[in-house]
Amino acid sequence: MSSSTATVLPQGAGYGVVVGVGFFFAFLMMGITYIQNRYTRFSTKSSEEFNTASRSVKPGLIASGIVSAWTWAATLLQSSTVAYEYGVAGPFWYAAGATVQILMFSILACKVKINAPRCHTYLEIIYARYGKTAHLVFMFFAFVTNILVGSQLLLGGSAVVTALTGMNVYAAIFLIPLGVCAYVILGGLRATFLCDYSHTLILMVIILYFMFNAYATSPLIGSPSEMYDLLKEAAIKRPVAGNTGGSYMTLKSNYALIFGVIQLCSGSGTVFLDQAYWQRAIASRPTTAVKAYIIGGLAWFAIPFGFSTTLGLAAVALIDNPRFPTYPNPPSSEDITAGLASAYAATALLGQSGAVALLIVLFMAVTSCASAELIAVASLLTFDVYKTYIKPDASGKRLILVSHICICLFGMTMAIFACIWNAIGIGLGWLFLVMGLLIGGAVFPAAFAITWAGQSKAGAIAGCISGLVAGLIAWITTAYRYFGEVTVASTGEEYSTLAGNLAAIITGLIVTVVVSLIKPQNFDWSITRAINARSLEALADEGHVNAAETDGNTGAPGDMPTTIDGEEKEKSEAGTNTPPNEDLPTVQNEDREMQEDADIDEHPKKLRRTFFVACIAAFVLTFIMDFLIPIPMFLSHYVFSKGFFTAWIVISFIWVFVSAGISVILPLVETAGFFKSFVGEVRNGSARKRSIAASTTS
Ligand SMILES: NC(N)=O
């Protein structure tokens, strides 16, 4: 990688952002955790709170968490790569191809609330429904997903940090997760939502900064009209293969369409098999999970679309400008595969300020997604490995300790894998295209496990394994057939990865359906509804949820129903799980909401309408985004006029503002009541302290 051409910042800036900002958030988290424990019902010392945020998070904050978990380094870098390579069709297919899965997940989120309202992880559902063998098979796919996502985050993030600052790439890979591990350990899942929120806020501000600069103020571009003219010139000098007239301004782009299909397949795996998204559904209130996924998906669309329609296209437009870092040469294909198109564009447009802004936005994307991955894997290891197979009667305290250890272990694991990819010459682009074919086989079996009573154990296992085998065979044979060799280059080509991704996901679907239909299971959902039920009964009997001490008994898959062990019983008898702050208005509001949620959990029929809404919204929006808009424009070979291109850019601005409204403003509106009570409580607390101090001194 040509770090010399893009290095516009000192190494200190790299270390400052990676270590300094990471630890700033760790300290912020200490403050937030103190406030949470002091003024709310929810204690971070409870493993139920640590791993599920007590299933009480409001939709705006969940949407913000979805946006930030689904915003990878690749969302900014790879989307800019495809914009650079295919023009406007690249950002469109990047965004449309990966929004669908979040919209579709709203259906699974609703089903989780109906069919397994008290689970901690989706693997608990697999265990309760299919037993140990299937649990182990799905666990394999779950961990492969988390390792691939976690390591590609660090791979992409470190490549750009290194290119912009000259920082050692291995130091970046290991230091990026350090601060994240610290703040996740301090605050648990709710903490990651709060950090997600602040990261998303910064992300939106910086994306808008780049957009306003490129399309309104930059002397190099400064308007959609000038961008249009520059892209027209670029198409003459460097026409895009497979696009109408070689133009950058058309959705008739063969390779962008292929990329879109790969994105659809690969994104399905990286959402449906990643505990991070199940965890957000689990953390939601039952009535609002669907809303959170629908608005979260729509909000996320704007991020790759707005960012890469700006920086990816600016990279194409400015190649021949002397301020372009590689001028007078175009960037090498290795640099583009490593995700440097946006770095070059940011530097050309804004010099050092652009590089700093990109460094920060990328760091925000990497850390907020890494925090989601860390807590997700920690939950799987804690509940599905430790509690199920090692210590079924583990106490709540022990589970939290295990979660903390697992967070550190997975932080190390993703860094080690990122180092391996780097050392053997695998770039972000390759990994991005290949991920889906490795995990795609398990997508439909996982989705059916919570939605289709007829899927059998044999069908679920056969679907996963046959999908993996078919994906690998299609990938390797296509690479060999088309390119005459099996190398990193040939296996990273669009045709090879398209074949692998499609084969994996379609085979998984067909095999699981056919095998299940031969002998359907007719599953009784009351079994998955019973997951962890005993522990909540225990909590209810004892009166409270602020119970670090009782949720050791929240029931791993293997030990339903659970019992209260000695240590826990002592504490509960001693009344230590009664929260000290139960008379505060903030806590009383939370109690009321929890009562409402418990009522829905007991009467899931109330969620039927929500399920219907999820299906309609997910399918209609998917149809519009992935068929109604792009396919007529593809088939008609339409090349954007200047007016149409301007309208396209205006829509991208509006969408980013709406997205900021959903993920930044909505959480504030939802928590306004809490903050009002909270300020009153802090004031009353201070006044009480002052009067106690006055009475003791007089
Ligand atoms: N999260 C993605 N696919 O950018």
Side-chain angles (χ1 to χ4, degrees):
M1 180 186 323
S2 57
S3 56
S4 55
T5 51
T7 305
V8 289
L9 298 171
Q11 275 197 28
Y15 283 97
V17 168
V18 167
V19 181
V21 180
F23 279 92
F24 166 78
F25 276 101
F27 283 114
L28 181 69
M29 204 41 59
M30 280 166 75
I32 291 174
T33 304
Y34 170 78
I35 291 171
Q36 179 184 333
N37 291 344
R38 170 76 178 80
Y39 292 100
T40 76
R41 153 74 62 208
F42 309 112
S43 165
T44 50
K45 295 184 189 103
S46 145
S47 92
E48 190 69 7
E49 168 64 16
F50 193 87
N51 287 291
T52 71
S54 305
R55 304 163 208 272
S56 63
V57 184
K58 294 192 167 66
L61 200 54
I62 293 281
S64 169
I66 292 165
V67 167
S68 92
W70 198 220
T71 301
W72 303 341
T75 309
L76 307 176
L77 304 179
Q78 183 71 14
S79 64
S80 298
T81 301
V82 291
Y84 177 87
E85 290 177 336
Y86 315 131
V88 289
F92 180 84
W93 278 116
Y94 193 102
T99 297
V100 170
Q101 301 82 357
I102 300 292
L103 300 175
M104 290 291 171
F105 201 88
S106 65
I107 298 171
L108 300 196
C110 190
K111 279 291 184 185
V112 166
K113 294 297 181 191
I114 294 172
N115 291 337
R118 299 172 192 96
C119 68
H120 303 110
T121 70
Y122 77 99
L123 294 181
E124 285 181 343
I125 301 169
I126 302 287
Y127 190 97
R129 188 168 171 184
Y130 302 124
K132 187 172 170 182
T133 311
H135 189 233
L136 294 176
V137 169
F138 278 90
M139 195 184 291
F140 167 80
F141 283 94
F143 286 138
V144 170
T145 305
N146 289 118
I147 287 172
L148 288 171
V149 171
S151 61
Q152 60 96 12
L153 277 178
L154 297 180
L155 184 71
S158 64
V160 173
V161 172
T162 301
L164 290 174
T165 69
M167 181 179 182
N168 180 284
V169 69
Y170 294 104
I173 287 174
F174 277 98
L175 288 175
I176 290 173
L178 199 64
V180 191
C181 286
Y183 80 67
V184 176
I185 286 175
L186 283 168
L189 183 61
R190 195 181 298 269
T192 75
F193 284 132
L194 296 173
C195 277
D196 286 353
Y197 174 79
S198 55
H199 287 43
T200 308
L201 168 67
I202 296 168
L203 192 81
M204 292 294 176
V205 170
I206 295 182
I207 291 176
L208 284 169
Y209 168 54
F210 283 129
M211 292 176 77
F212 274 105
N213 179 271
Y215 287 112
T217 61
S218 166
L220 306 187
I221 305 176
S223 68
S225 164
E226 182 62 18
M227 176 72 102
Y228 185 89
D229 292 338
L230 288 168
L231 292 177
K232 218 169 167 182
E233 267 175 50
I236 295 165
K237 291 184 193 155
R238 288 173 289 276
V240 186
N243 283 23
T244 302
S247 174
Y248 285 90
M249 285 158 303
T250 176
L251 288 198
K252 169 34 186 96
S253 171
N254 298 350
Y255 289 106
L257 183 62
I258 291 176
F259 174 80
V261 176
I262 296 174
Q263 177 78 324
L264 275 168
C265 300
S266 147
S268 302
T270 46
V271 170
F272 287 28
L273 302 173
D274 188 337
Q275 163 67 9
Y277 301 94
W278 295 85
Q279 201 151 26
R280 274 150 185 70
I282 289 163
S284 295
R285 299 187 63 199
T287 41
T288 56
V290 166
K291 178 177 166 192
Y293 276 82
I294 299 289
I295 62 175
L298 291 175
W300 180 84
F301 183 100
I303 291 178
F305 187 60
F307 184 87
S308 61
T309 299
T310 304
L311 289 188
L313 295 186
V316 178
L318 298 177
I319 287 181
D320 299 319
N321 190 298
R323 287 185 57 176
F324 198 76
T326 61
Y327 180 82
N329 303 312
S332 69
S333 62
E334 291 80 38
D335 284 358
I336 295 302
T337 307
L340 294 189
S342 53
Y344 289 146
T347 310
L349 282 170
L350 285 149
Q352 281 201 337
S353 326
V356 170
L358 184 67
L359 199 59
I360 293 175
V361 78
L362 202 67
F363 187 75
M364 294 298 139
V366 172
T367 53
S368 59
C369 180
S371 68
E373 294 300 301
L374 285 168
I375 192 99
V377 174
S379 298
L380 292 181
L381 288 169
T382 303
F383 291 105
D384 290 282
V385 178
Y386 183 75
K387 193 156 194 312
T388 302
Y389 296 115
I390 299 172
K391 198 164 188 336
D393 61 347
S395 68
K397 249 189 199 160
R398 173 60 72 98
L399 291 180
I400 292 205
L401 176 70
V402 172
S403 295
H404 289 178
I405 294 169
C406 294
I407 286 167
C408 297
L409 276 180
F410 187 64
M412 286 283 282
T413 308
M414 62 192 201
I416 290 169
F417 272 89
C419 289
I420 295 173
W421 306 137
N422 202 67
I424 62 177
I426 282 180
L428 178 66
W430 189 95
L431 204 53
F432 191 89
L433 297 177
V434 168
M435 282 191 312
L437 67 92
L438 299 174
I439 55 178
V443 167
F444 281 101
F448 289 153
I450 189 74
T451 52
W452 182 27
Q455 179 173 260
S456 64
K457 173 181 163 183
I461 296 175
C464 293
I465 294 174
S466 60
L468 174 60
V469 173
L472 289 173
I473 292 173
W475 176 43
I476 302 291
T477 51
T478 310
Y480 186 72
R481 218 171 135 225
Y482 272 82
F483 306 102
E485 55 181 14
V486 179
T487 58
V488 171
S490 71
T491 53
E493 290 290 341
E494 283 92 345
Y495 285 125
S496 323
T497 49
L498 176 70
N501 273 280
L502 280 176
I505 204 161
I506 292 173
T507 307
L509 170 64
I510 293 173
V511 171
T512 197
V513 170
V514 170
V515 174
S516 297
L517 286 180
I518 292 169
K519 199 165 180 258
Q521 187 182 38
N522 196 18
F523 183 67
D524 174 4
W525 294 113
S526 65
I527 295 171
T528 46
R529 283 187 55 74
I531 294 174
N532 301 324
R534 172 67 183 88
S535 64
L536 288 205
E537 273 167 31
L539 290 172
D541 289 348
E542 289 145 20
H544 286 294
V545 175
N546 191 1
E549 301 77 14
T550 54
D551 75 357
N553 308 293
T554 46
D559 65 348
M560 296 173 300
T562 54
T563 55
I564 300 179
D565 70 22
E567 181 194 353
E568 314 306 341
K569 213 167 185 175
E570 265 169 39
K571 286 187 180 173
S572 89
E573 278 163 6
T576 50
N577 51 0
T578 300
N581 53 5
E582 66 175 356
D583 55 340
L584 296 176
T586 45
V587 175
Q588 284 166 356
N589 279 341
E590 282 152 2
D591 281 349
R592 192 178 31 76
E593 285 176 358
M594 286 177 65
Q595 195 51 52
E596 286 165 16
D597 294 348
D599 183 45
I600 302 265
D601 283 346
E602 288 314 313
H603 305 95
K605 283 194 179 138
K606 290 183 181 170
L607 291 176
R608 265 198 197 148
R609 216 178 94 83
T610 315
F611 177 68
F612 183 67
V613 170
C615 293
I616 298 287
F619 283 104
V620 170
L621 289 171
T622 300
F623 173 74
I624 293 173
M625 232 175 241
D626 287 313
F627 190 82
L628 194 60
I629 293 173
I631 299 305
M633 287 170 93
F634 181 91
L635 295 177
S636 64
H637 292 208
Y638 176 63
V639 177
F640 292 11
S641 65
K642 195 175 264 188
F644 193 92
F645 179 72
T646 305
W648 191 261
I649 298 304
V650 170
I651 289 170
S652 75
F653 271 85
I654 294 172
W655 208 319
V656 174
F657 276 112
V658 171
S659 167
I662 291 171
S663 49
V664 177
I665 312 285
L666 183 60
L668 288 183
V669 173
E670 285 171 350
T671 42
F674 167 83
F675 280 110
K676 214 169 138 212
S677 308
F678 166 69
V679 170
E681 285 161 13
V682 173
R683 276 217 200 106
N684 290 344
S686 311
R688 209 164 41 221
K689 266 190 198 156
R690 274 199 302 276
S691 83
I692 291 167
S695 64
T696 37
T697 45
S698 60

